[in-house]
């Protein structure tokens, strides 16, 4: 199979030429695939615009189905974090929270015992309630975490190291090229391939086609892309 950034480019370019309504430049293509890369991630995580008052879930959502988890498997990672000031800094490629924990070490009958304890993520309001409730006060066995000042603040506050599991952003794809006469020629050196699984390349290509359908102003071209997206394909 051809490199993914070139494969999608050739498909969209051929579709645009078939419409005979406009031109797709290499730079426009690179802008589109960078946007689609994030847009597809947003769909797989769960588009909040699809939420309804009595149904807070989207048609596709992270960890709700095995298929959707499979689509995101490349991007689910874990990292060990060390406390920085009052909290833990999120990794630069952090996109969505998946889970976290810390290693709890205690002495039981003179023996050292270690266990991995999950950290419950709560809202700022709930954190305030928990910190003032002796029954639900966060403990080493039942710690809590809160998003604050672009960090994860953990209680009890003397927990200094955690493991954060999260969905990272896929790397930004880029199609490098050289100009030869009136043509641009794909150059794999300097290109960054699309990270999404091969099964999702049609979804990716359809979304790129949707963007160029606006530029080309070909009604059939645009409607085809939108129809595929609206029915979840």
């Amino acid at each position: 199979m051809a490199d993914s950034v070139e494969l999608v480019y050739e498909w969209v370019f051929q579709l645009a030429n078939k419409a005979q309504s406009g031109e797709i430049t290499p730079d426009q293509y690179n802008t589109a695939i960078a946007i689609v890369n994030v847009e597809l991630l947003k769909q797989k995580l769960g588009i909040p615009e699809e939420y309804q008052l009595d149904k807070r879930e989207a048609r596709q959502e992270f960890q709700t189905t095995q298929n959707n988890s499979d689509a995101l498997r490349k991007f689910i990672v874990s990292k060990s974090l060390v406390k920085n000031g009052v909290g833990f800094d999120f990794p630069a490629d952090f996109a969505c929270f998946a889970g976290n924990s810390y290693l709890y070490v205690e002495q039981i009958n003179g023996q050292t015992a270690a266990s991995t304890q999950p950290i419950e993520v709560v809202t700022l309001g709930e954190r305030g309630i928990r910190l003032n409730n002796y029954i639900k006060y966060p403990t080493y066995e039942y710690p809590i975490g809160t998003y604050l000042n672009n960090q994860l603040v953990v209680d009890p506050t003397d927990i200094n190291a955690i493991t954060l599991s999260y969905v990272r952003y896929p790397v930004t794809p880029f199609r490098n090229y050289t100009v030869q006469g009136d043509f641009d020629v794909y150059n794999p050196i300097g290109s960054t391939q699309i990270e999404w699984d091969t099964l999702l390349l049609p979804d990716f290509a359809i979304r790129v086609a949707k963007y160029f359908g606006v530029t080309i102003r070909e009604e059939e071209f645009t409607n085809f892309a939108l129809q595929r997206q609206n029915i979840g394909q």
Side-chain angles (χ1 to χ4, degrees):
M1 180 179 289
D3 289 353
S4 55
V5 288
E6 177 66 0
L7 183 66
V8 172
Y9 178 78
E10 290 177 355
W11 182 82
V12 176
F13 188 81
Q14 290 172 9
L15 192 59
N17 283 344
K18 183 178 180 181
Q20 297 180 349
S21 307
E23 180 182 357
I24 297 173
T25 69
D27 292 338
Q28 288 174 333
Y29 172 75
N30 279 325
T31 298
I33 62 177
I35 294 172
V36 168
N37 195 49
V38 177
E39 187 182 63
L40 185 56
L41 177 65
K42 181 181 178 181
Q43 181 186 39
K44 296 301 179 183
L45 291 176
I47 300 176
E49 289 83 355
E50 292 183 350
Y51 291 173
Q52 299 176 14
L53 184 61
D54 59 341
K55 186 180 180 182
R56 294 185 59 81
E57 59 184 42
R59 286 177 293 180
Q60 298 185 52
E61 197 165 338
F62 177 47
Q63 292 185 331
T64 55
T65 66
Q66 186 61 49
N67 183 270
N68 229 42
S69 295
D70 287 344
L72 292 167
R73 70 184 187 281
K74 291 182 179 179
F75 313 122
I76 303 173
V77 297
S78 291
K79 283 188 178 179
S80 297
L81 304 180
V82 177
K83 195 172 184 179
N84 179 22
V86 298
F88 299 86
D89 296 326
F90 292 101
D93 59 355
F94 177 91
C96 176
F97 174 81
N100 56 30
S101 62
Y102 89 105
L103 187 65
Y104 174 46
V105 179
E106 59 181 332
Q107 295 292 323
I108 300 177
N109 298 325
Q111 300 294 321
T112 300
S115 60
T116 300
Q117 299 293 338
I119 300 172
E120 179 187 0
V121 176
V122 301
T123 65
L124 279 171
E126 187 173 355
R127 178 182 185 242
I129 294 173
R130 297 278 289 271
L131 290 176
N132 289 283
N133 188 317
Y134 75 94
I135 297 177
K136 294 186 177 181
Y137 193 86
T139 64
Y140 296 116
E141 291 87 352
Y142 302 101
I144 62 173
T146 309
Y147 291 169
L148 184 63
N149 295 326
N150 200 30
Q151 287 187 315
L152 181 67
V153 176
V154 175
D155 297 293
T157 56
D158 53 351
I159 293 176
N160 295 313
I162 66 171
T163 298
L164 175 68
S165 298
Y166 64 99
V167 180
R168 67 170 176 82
Y169 282 104
V171 297
T172 302
F174 179 79
R175 177 185 180 271
N176 195 25
Y177 66 94
T178 56
V179 177
Q180 297 182 10
D182 294 330
F183 301 96
D184 68 271
V185 178
Y186 169 64
N187 186 355
I189 299 176
S191 294
T192 302
Q193 302 305 319
I194 299 166
E195 272 199 287
W196 291 95
D197 191 75
T198 302
L199 289 174
L200 287 169
L201 283 184
D203 301 56
F204 195 98
I206 286 295
R207 287 180 174 274
V208 176
K210 180 194 70 173
Y211 280 100
F212 287 116
V214 176
T215 302
I216 294 171
R217 293 174 182 169
E218 173 64 34
E219 184 177 357
E220 182 179 357
F221 183 39
T222 305
N223 289 342
F224 169 70
L226 287 174
Q227 182 182 16
R228 286 289 300 273
Q229 180 182 337
N230 288 337
I231 63 177
Q233 294 184 345

